Amino acid sequence: MRSKNAQLKEQIYRFVNEWKQEHGASPSLKIIADRMGVSRTTVYRYLLEMTDDQNGLIYTGDSIETRELNRDTMRFSPAKIVGTIPCGEAQAEEELVEAYVNLPSAIFGSGEFYILHAVGDSMEDAGISEGDLVVIRRQSVAQIGDVVVALDDQHNSTLKRFDGFDPENRAILAYMNQAVYPGKTIAVQELQVQGVAQHIIKSLR
């Protein structure tokens, strides 16, 4: 096979990475061809040579893998953004799916996740501020010290730290903002955990 244009190889490689980052999948030959201004046959031949070059791109016929974005680095856990969670007084919240996202397993781990917008200031000491996105692993059990989405005795949801049980065997959900709510807690007769906070996604303002 005749050696191909090195600049076009680099452009194809860079475009494949950009597309996979944005869409979570490989671009088709037609998409690459349209972007590069060449034919699909030309793209096909370039991908084959780039694979033979062993320079980090592998074209399998079904997908295109690169050094940065391949089957190992692109494992995802699906999650949905489902509205708000109060970091203050418990509130009734109706689940409303705003969007579906894929969380890279290399960063977030595997499991069933959902994402909530934090509202209020009761979890500032845990690094959770109003407007942050809190990634929740869906589970019904928690360890003492976990930040949990839990129901109070009126079946309203709240985000608090699980602090164990009091002498009356009530579960203690603690505020984490000592400057504003020193020692404040919620006691519930039966701990009903809807998930445990795993990560915080916030914008740098």
Side-chain angles (χ1 to χ4, degrees), residues 15-198:
F15 175 70
V16 169
N17 264 346
E18 291 172 353
W19 184 273
K20 288 169 74 76
Q21 285 178 330
E22 181 176 353
H23 299 277
S26 301
S28 67
L29 296 184
K30 182 179 185 305
I31 289 172
I32 300 173
D34 289 346
R35 178 59 64 92
M36 298 297 118
V38 298
S39 69
R40 279 179 284 184
T41 299
T42 297
V43 170
Y44 175 75
R45 290 174 176 170
Y46 265 80
L47 292 176
L48 289 181
E49 181 165 310
M50 292 168 73
T51 299
D52 290 340
D53 288 345
Q54 297 184 345
N55 63 354
L57 182 144
I58 299 175
Y59 175 56
T60 66
D62 296 319
S63 66
I64 308 170
E65 296 191 356
T66 66
R67 285 186 301 271
E68 298 82 7
L69 299 172
N70 52 62
R71 68 185 64 188
D72 292 324
T73 61
M74 291 191 69
R75 291 176 179 163
F76 295 100
S77 295
K80 55 187 177 181
I81 302 176
V82 293
T84 61
I85 182 69
C87 299
E89 298 300 324
Q91 298 175 10
E93 294 292 341
E94 184 173 338
E95 182 175 300
L96 176 64
V97 177
E98 299 178 4
Y100 292 90
V101 298
N102 287 318
L103 301 175
S105 298
I107 297 174
F108 295 92
S110 59
E112 184 179 359
F113 296 99
Y114 59 99
I115 300 173
L116 296 165
H117 295 279
V119 177
D121 62 357
S122 76
M123 300 301 289
E124 290 282 347
D125 293 346
I128 302 173
S129 303
E130 182 159 348
D132 289 347
L133 294 174
V134 185
V135 179
I136 308 294
R137 184 189 300 277
R138 192 180 296 278
Q139 59 188 72
S140 59
V141 297
Q143 301 294 321
I144 294 175
D146 284 345
V147 174
V148 301
V149 177
L151 299 180
D152 67 6
D153 287 339
Q154 286 72 49
H155 290 85
N156 296 325
S157 60
T158 190
L159 183 72
K160 296 290 179 288
R161 183 181 66 195
F162 172 42
D163 267 7
F165 299 89
D166 67 10
E168 298 178 18
N169 205 35
R170 297 179 301 177
I172 301 302
L173 303 175
Y175 285 60
M176 296 186 68
N177 187 337
Q178 288 301 305
V180 180
Y181 309 102
K184 186 172 182 178
T185 62
I186 299 172
V188 297
Q189 294 294 335
E190 180 181 357
L191 180 64
Q192 299 182 62
V193 175
Q194 297 183 315
V196 175
Q198 299 291 313

